[in-house]
Amino acid sequence: MLGFHKRTRSLIPVKDLAKYDKVPLYDEEEMDIGEEEVDMGSVSEPKVKARQMQLTLVYAIFFAEAIMASSLQPQLQMLISSDDYCGNLSTSYLRSILDCAYAFGGTTGIFWGWLSDRIGRRRVTILGLWAMFICCFFQGFATDLASCTIFRFFAGLASSTIVVTTLTMIGDLSENTAARAKNVAKLPLIALCGSIGPILQGIVSGNVNPSGAVWEKFPILSTQIACGSIVLSIAITASIMLQETLPSDQTTEVVDSDCEKAGFLSAADPDHPSIRVVDFVRPDPISINQFIQAPSLLVLLSSFSLLSLHAATFDVLLPHLGQSSSQHGGMGIPCTWLGLMVLIVRGIAGVAILRVIPRAVEKFGLLKLYRNVSLVFPGIYIVTPLLAVVAACSVSLAAIISTLAIFVKHALSGSASVLVALLVLNTTPDAFSAGTVVGMMQVANLFKALAVAVSGASFYLSNDLDMAMTNYALWTCLALFGAVGAALAYFVRERPSVERDFPSEVLCWETCFDAEGTAYDV
């Protein structure tokens, strides 16, 4: 028999790869645990703690990106010299321009995802953190619309590195699909915690009144330094403690006790045959061109883009629709309460997502749940204005109905984002291409930019058209976008397949293994 053998593994359909997740340990009552196995369990405990520490660090990095994303308000307040959350036509145009710049910068996530599969997640993440700190600091020197727009674009470019790598690292650090669902479900609540940035900026600007020519010339410099200090502390911590999650090329010895294989390749001990892996050929990352040719990914990308379009459009139109009278197709919420109400509703929705989504995925399945969530969106956009009109006789009742509608919308949009992230992580068959496909989903930022452009046009048309007609037209557009997105969701598949999505040669890799014991000459 040969003492050394080289074998090319047979192709496995991607839809069956989930069967090869880590097998859960059996209960102690079902198996006898020897002293040796107990010792192995105690050895693996530090690894579990190390994994949890890395996950906590990844969440802190995502928190830093959330601070960057929520740093728009101080720039608006400086440009319009007003604290009005709802704003007017000028506020709408300024918000649209700055949001568009940030969204266009986020499309560079395609490149960062591709790069993270080749040089590693850690390097790209550290680069993004320090770039975000620089953007936070220099945004304080922006005093006009042009400079604010330029810095906002670079802020979106830097934050896209974190959006891509954090989601990819969560996929790398998750032991199985159930743990992955629990880990990803925490992201909406962490994103909400990023709102501490504007709150901290408001506290600083309200309690600290620095004097001097520099502070008078750059009014938001002190608030940007306050947010930048948080990002700086996270960047320093990550530079020291963050570890690489992309599997390395180093050969690791793995013992395989498969009796069928070892019976031919090992003759040392017939009762305890084993095979030792001596070489592992790292598969080449799947290219962007190959992903683009996968129909399942294109359908998922289209569905997520439409979801981002109507969800972002609703968020940008909320200051206008929220304060409009319910008799005119609005939501009847006073402008002074709208900002605080949205913050509280997002917090409750984040907690609900964390509690419900992992259990719902386990019970109903990922694909079925995503389709049902997509189907509810157009119903919300249709029912909300109708119920508001019915309850127009009572201002309090109309406000309660509108608040519930906003809560349901944020709960559904956050849940859909979590489900899409899980579907995206299922698209790639290995960790060496996960960053690329996650980065490709950042194309949805283009549709977010389109959403803010549409909202700006709606504010402009509202001055010439009847308010009720404008509001109902906006609700109709939201319902149409939601209906098309729900229709596309029924063509989404949970996992791609061989030949239809990826060529068979893409999913082929080699492993060299050696049978332990005495080798015979052939």
Side-chain angles (χ1 to χ4, degrees):
M1 295 291 291
L2 293 175
F4 183 82
H5 184 73
K6 182 176 181 180
R7 174 193 172 199
T8 301
R9 296 187 63 177
S10 59
L11 296 179
I12 302 174
V14 182
K15 64 181 181 180
D16 294 334
L17 289 177
K19 300 178 182 178
Y20 298 91
D21 286 341
K22 183 177 179 180
V23 180
L25 296 176
Y26 294 100
D27 295 335
E28 294 183 0
E29 298 178 356
E30 299 179 1
M31 60 183 301
D32 295 329
I33 301 178
E35 295 181 358
E36 182 179 357
E37 293 177 341
V38 173
D39 294 338
M40 293 178 61
S42 61
V43 172
S44 63
E45 184 176 355
K47 295 182 180 180
V48 175
K49 292 183 178 179
R51 183 185 297 111
Q52 292 298 327
M53 181 179 296
Q54 289 299 308
L55 276 173
T56 303
L57 187 57
V58 170
Y59 291 141
I61 295 171
F62 188 79
F63 171 73
E65 190 280 330
I67 293 178
M68 172 66 73
S70 61
S71 63
L72 172 65
Q73 194 67 22
Q75 294 178 334
L76 282 176
Q77 293 177 358
M78 178 193 63
L79 293 174
I80 65 179
S81 300
S82 175
D83 295 332
D84 186 11
Y85 174 82
C86 299
N88 50 24
L89 182 62
S90 299
T91 308
S92 174
Y93 279 144
L94 292 175
R95 182 183 294 274
S96 298
I97 291 173
L98 296 178
D99 279 341
C100 280
Y102 191 83
F104 276 112
T107 57
T108 56
I110 301 176
F111 169 74
W112 300 120
W114 176 88
L115 190 64
S116 68
D117 285 334
R118 283 145 180 89
I119 68 173
R121 331 287 196 209
R122 184 182 184 277
R123 295 180 181 178
V124 178
T125 302
I126 299 301
L127 175 64
L129 283 172
W130 287 102
M132 286 199 307
F133 164 70
I134 294 174
C135 288
C136 278
F137 180 75
F138 281 100
Q139 276 183 150
F141 296 97
T143 56
D144 54 12
L145 179 60
S147 58
C148 286
T149 303
I150 293 174
F151 283 118
R152 194 67 180 162
F153 170 80
F154 283 105
L157 186 150
S159 66
S160 65
T161 62
I162 306 302
V163 174
V164 172
T165 55
T166 50
L167 182 58
T168 307
M169 286 190 291
I170 289 175
D172 295 338
L173 294 171
S174 301
E175 295 181 350
N176 47 47
T177 55
R180 183 186 301 170
K182 294 179 181 178
N183 295 333
V184 176
K186 298 177 183 178
L187 296 182
L189 192 59
I190 297 175
L192 173 66
C193 294
S195 301
I196 192 177
I199 295 175
L200 180 61
Q201 290 172 333
I203 294 175
V204 171
S205 61
N207 298 331
V208 179
N209 296 315
S211 59
V214 176
W215 306 108
E216 293 177 357
K217 184 177 180 180
F218 307 106
I220 64 172
L221 180 58
S222 59
T223 58
Q224 289 299 130
I225 291 177
C227 278
S229 61
I230 300 177
V231 178
L232 176 61
S233 61
I234 296 176
I236 294 175
T237 304
S239 300
I240 299 173
M241 301 181 61
L242 185 64
Q243 298 179 1
E244 181 59 62
T245 61
L246 182 67
S248 62
D249 296 330
Q250 297 179 355
T251 302
T252 58
E253 292 190 358
V254 180
V255 175
D256 188 350
S257 59
D258 189 294
C259 298
E260 182 179 356
K261 293 184 294 184
F264 292 97
L265 300 177
S266 178
D269 188 355
D271 297 329
H272 298 88
S274 61
I275 297 175
R276 180 171 57 90
V277 174
V278 296
D279 190 18
F280 172 73
V281 179
R282 170 176 170 171
D284 295 330
I286 301 177
S287 65
I288 296 178
N289 185 38
Q290 291 170 332
F291 274 120
I292 292 177
Q293 297 177 4
S296 62
L297 179 62
L298 294 180
V299 173
L300 178 59
L301 179 60
S302 301
S303 177
F304 181 57
S305 298
L306 280 173
L307 172 67
S308 301
L309 175 61
H310 64 73
T313 302
F314 180 88
D315 292 337
V316 178
L317 290 176
L318 185 58
H320 170 72
L321 293 175
Q323 66 175 339
S324 298
S325 173
S326 57
Q327 296 178 351
H328 297 157
M331 308 181 77
I333 301 176
C335 179
T336 55
W337 291 95
L338 191 58
L340 181 60
M341 185 271 294
V342 171
L343 186 63
I344 296 174
V345 164
R346 286 183 59 194
I348 299 174
V351 174
I353 292 170
L354 179 60
R355 297 291 184 181
V356 175
I357 290 300
R359 299 178 182 177
V361 170
E362 183 178 359
K363 182 177 181 180
F364 300 104
L366 182 60
L367 189 57
K368 182 179 179 180
L369 189 60
Y370 176 68
R371 290 172 177 175
N372 291 334
V373 168
S374 301
L375 187 61
V376 178
F377 274 110
I380 295 177
Y381 300 141
I382 295 174
V383 172
T384 300
L386 296 179
L387 291 179
V389 171
V390 173
C393 57
S394 176
V395 178
S396 301
L397 182 58
I400 292 174
I401 293 175
S402 299
T403 302
L404 290 176
I406 295 174
F407 165 75
V408 174
K409 183 270 170 186
H410 280 287
L412 290 177
S413 59
S415 301
S417 300
V418 172
L419 296 175
V420 168
L422 296 175
L423 287 170
V424 168
L425 293 175
N426 287 343
T427 302
T428 175
D430 53 58
F432 304 105
S433 305
T436 302
V437 67
V438 171
M440 291 180 62
M441 301 308 294
Q442 300 306 306
V443 174
N445 284 309
L446 293 175
F447 289 82
K448 293 181 180 179
L450 178 62
V452 294
V454 170
S455 66
S458 67
F459 275 92
Y460 177 78
L461 293 176
S462 63
N463 293 331
D464 299 330
L465 300 178
D466 179 71
M467 181 64 68
M469 183 181 298
T470 302
N471 291 341
Y472 286 122
L474 294 176
W475 286 114
T476 302
C477 290
L478 289 173
L480 289 176
F481 290 147
V484 176
L488 278 176
Y490 276 86
F491 294 95
V492 174
R493 294 198 301 272
E494 185 170 356
R495 297 179 184 273
S497 58
V498 181
E499 296 299 345
R500 181 176 181 180
D501 293 304
F502 298 113
S504 58
E505 60 271 11
V506 173
L507 304 178
C508 182
W509 62 95
E510 292 183 342
T511 302
C512 300
F513 51 87
D514 181 28
E516 295 180 349
T518 304
Y520 294 92
D521 295 332
V522 179

